[in-house]
Amino acid sequence: MSTIERFAHASLEDTAAAISDGQFTSEQLVEYQLSRMDRLEPRLKAFVEVYRDEARQMARALDGMLRAGVRLGPLHGVTVAIKDLFEIEGHMLGAGSRALPAKLSSLTATVVDRLRAAGAVIIGKTQTVEFAFGGWGTNTVMGTPWNPWDLQTHRVPGGSSSGSSVAVAAGLCTAALGTDTGGSVRIPAGLCGLVGLKTTHGLVSRHGLVELCPTHDTVGPITRSVRDAALMLDVIAGPDPRDTASLQAPVRRVLGGIEHDVSGTRVWVLPASERHSIESDVLALYDRALSTLAGLGMQLVERPLPQSLTESMRIAGKLMSAEGYANLGELFEQDLVFDPNVQRRILAGRDIDAAQYIELLKMRDKARMAMIDAMEGVDVCVMPTNAITAIPVSEVDEQSTPLSRFGRFVNLLDLCSIAVQAGQSGQGLPVSVQFIGRPMAEPLILRVAHAFEKATPWHKAVPPGLD
């Protein structure tokens, strides 16, 4: 096995270091990943478009800079895939749909600019659920990416950042960018054996993003390790005057503090009232994760949630439909081809009037304050990322939302969360837990998640049969 092949599933941090040290070049990395795409993409269908020539040119330029002693930043030479919800000047924007008028973007999203400024090679755009409105990862219009953990059965990748997660899990890129409105970074990261970071609303700019639900939409990385997620957050976070929701708080670098001791951390565990309808393997591995946390010196605390997850899902779902219709309703009222499941969710917002919408916002504010009060005396919450493992696409019931159960309330309450691997089911499918913190608590949840990751082997697991 060549040096570059050994880095097929390596972390972003290790890959960037190898390029900087001269073990291989950025151009060699790009060529290797393109060759993997040639072999795997016909089945996986992770990408909407691959920027082959552009990626090669950028990699050569970055290699030339290194030879001249110039390193742009911590992502110098690595590849990042971008969910097809972000504008990139000179490239098509599809948002997982065929309904948008065909045109090249005339601007570039702030996060993409920041990734490039740190030295990243943008290798292409990845598939998404149409307009990011769905947790299964299915897309009847553009096609559903194939979860790489089972090459015999087409299983759901999770959504809506489906292609981004499949691409990273399969070693087609080093890391990827996703969005999370109700779990859309964490759900697919959990189902595909990765790390997914849901950031605090406003911490990362949404300029250049096709919005679904502005009160819930967030931008976050999908990576192979918690350190990689912290590294990418350091690159993309920060105020942006072009995003009205952007927080004006000073930029905080989180990677440097990720190794700090977490013993004594108080962890709020899933209350007994919310342990129903969880797949047995998932629940068993969740309980094992709790034992690991206790072994690391953390204090486990059980207390009831101020609002049930079911009620939080209901409120969040209505807000997503209301704001989705406000943003996209005019398009969905036209006689165009849409994913019927997404169309149903969008058009449900047509029946939510202004008075109802304002009442929903009031309910959201009340629930958010109740949760912050309830977190008094604890540092983080730990819950399953998904109640189930990846099921076959043929068994999906689009009327049900089991993958959103532990996702939506985090966005509704404007919390931050990171999904990390906690083991594999009896079928060999990834199982994940998430660490949830107060708004702007990314440094803390990253530290706790990193400590858990170091104490377990699961982040090193890769899908079988790809290499």
Side-chain angles (χ1 to χ4, degrees):
M1 180 182 291
S2 67
T3 299
I4 194 91
E5 289 174 321
R6 290 198 297 272
F7 279 78
H9 302 282
S11 71
L12 181 158
E13 191 174 32
D14 288 346
T15 304
I19 292 171
S20 181
D21 293 343
Q23 295 184 49
F24 50 83
T25 66
S26 177
E27 185 176 6
Q28 287 173 325
L29 175 67
V30 167
E31 291 296 343
Y32 175 64
Q33 291 176 342
L34 290 177
S35 71
R36 288 181 68 87
M37 290 183 201
D38 291 339
R39 181 164 54 86
L40 299 173
E41 258 297 283
R43 171 170 289 187
L44 299 181
K45 297 180 173 60
F47 284 86
V48 175
E49 184 179 4
V50 178
Y51 305 154
R52 291 176 178 270
D53 293 339
E54 184 178 313
R56 286 171 171 137
Q57 292 168 8
M58 178 57 68
R60 290 189 199 108
L62 290 166
D63 289 335
M65 290 182 187
L66 272 186
R67 288 192 295 271
V70 177
R71 188 170 185 259
L72 285 183
L75 307 184
H76 194 109
V78 302
T79 59
V80 178
I82 307 297
K83 184 177 183 178
D84 189 24
L85 284 183
F86 293 91
E87 301 262 15
I88 301 178
E89 184 177 3
H91 291 285
M92 302 296 297
L93 174 67
S97 179
R98 298 194 186 279
L100 287 179
K103 69 179 183 68
L104 298 178
S105 293
S106 59
L107 60 88
T108 297
T110 296
V111 284
V112 176
D113 278 337
R114 289 177 176 173
L115 289 169
R116 284 173 167 168
V121 175
I122 306 303
I123 200 165
K125 278 193 175 180
T126 53
Q127 295 272 16
T128 173
V129 175
E130 190 169 24
F131 293 103
F133 207 168
W136 291 109
T138 53
N139 188 320
T140 63
V141 176
M142 300 293 293
T144 300
W146 190 299
N147 190 317
W149 281 85
D150 186 345
L151 295 181
Q152 304 306 313
T153 301
H154 189 183
R155 293 182 181 272
V156 294
S160 62
S161 305
S162 52
S164 288
S165 292
V166 170
V168 177
L172 309 184
C173 58
T174 319
L177 199 63
T179 63
D180 195 312
T181 303
S184 289
V185 160
R186 291 161 289 148
I187 291 170
L191 295 185
C192 291
L194 301 169
V195 171
L197 176 62
K198 185 273 174 194
T199 56
T200 301
H201 190 262
L203 181 62
V204 181
S205 174
R206 300 173 306 171
H207 168 70
L209 170 70
V210 177
E211 292 184 328
L212 171 64
C213 179
T215 58
H216 288 53
D217 292 344
T218 60
V219 177
I222 296 171
T223 63
R224 297 192 182 103
S225 75
V226 175
R227 285 187 62 91
D228 283 356
L231 191 158
M232 282 192 69
L233 181 63
D234 282 347
V235 168
I236 64 177
D240 181 7
R242 295 173 293 182
D243 178 4
T244 57
S246 177
L247 299 175
Q248 298 307 306
V251 176
R252 303 166 302 158
R253 300 301 179 206
V254 297
L255 182 59
I258 203 169
E259 301 287 349
H260 289 173
D261 182 36
V262 295
S263 61
T265 300
R266 295 158 297 181
V267 180
W268 185 354
V269 304
L270 189 67
S273 61
E274 296 289 355
R275 290 172 69 93
H276 59 87
S277 302
I278 301 175
E279 192 175 291
S280 59
D281 283 356
V282 174
L283 193 56
L285 290 171
Y286 171 74
D287 286 337
R288 188 170 70 182
L290 297 184
S291 297
T292 299
L293 298 177
L296 292 170
M298 301 188 204
Q299 302 174 20
L300 305 185
V301 179
E302 182 178 337
R303 58 179 64 171
L305 293 172
Q307 177 172 277
S308 72
L309 296 177
T310 300
E311 178 63 5
S312 293
M313 282 185 64
R314 185 189 71 82
I315 297 170
K318 285 185 173 293
L319 281 169
M320 282 189 272
S321 288
E323 296 185 18
Y325 186 77
N327 284 321
L328 303 166
E330 183 177 346
L331 182 67
F332 274 82
E333 293 283 9
Q334 298 179 44
D335 186 19
L336 299 169
V337 176
F338 297 101
D339 186 315
N341 305 299
V342 174
Q343 186 171 35
R344 170 178 51 81
R345 295 170 194 138
I346 293 289
L347 294 183
R350 181 171 51 191
D351 300 325
I352 301 174
D353 60 26
Q356 291 172 307
Y357 176 67
I358 291 172
E359 182 60 28
L360 288 168
L361 291 179
K362 290 179 179 178
M363 294 169 69
R364 180 185 188 233
D365 288 342
K366 181 179 178 180
R368 183 165 48 190
M369 294 310 299
M371 185 65 180
I372 296 299
D373 289 343
M375 290 186 74
E376 183 68 28
V378 297
D379 299 304
V380 299
C381 307
V382 60
M383 294 187 181
T385 302
N386 302 304
I388 62 174
T389 52
I391 65 171
V393 172
S394 60
E395 296 178 10
V396 168
D397 176 5
E398 292 285 356
Q399 301 286 339
S400 67
T401 55
L403 293 175
S404 299
R405 181 178 165 201
F406 296 110
R408 283 188 192 174
F409 88 99
V410 174
N411 300 75
L412 178 72
L413 306 181
D414 193 22
L415 307 173
C416 60
S417 177
I418 184 167
V420 298
Q421 288 307 294
Q424 294 176 8
S425 72
Q427 293 181 290
L429 299 171
V431 173
S432 172
V433 297
Q434 59 177 326
F435 297 95
I436 303 164
R438 296 173 178 82
M440 302 296 288
E442 280 83 358
L444 176 57
I445 63 170
L446 284 160
R447 286 201 301 272
V448 174
H450 178 58
F452 175 78
E453 187 180 73
K454 285 199 303 181
T456 59
W458 305 110
H459 63 288
K460 299 177 182 177
V462 298
L466 295 181
D467 300 307

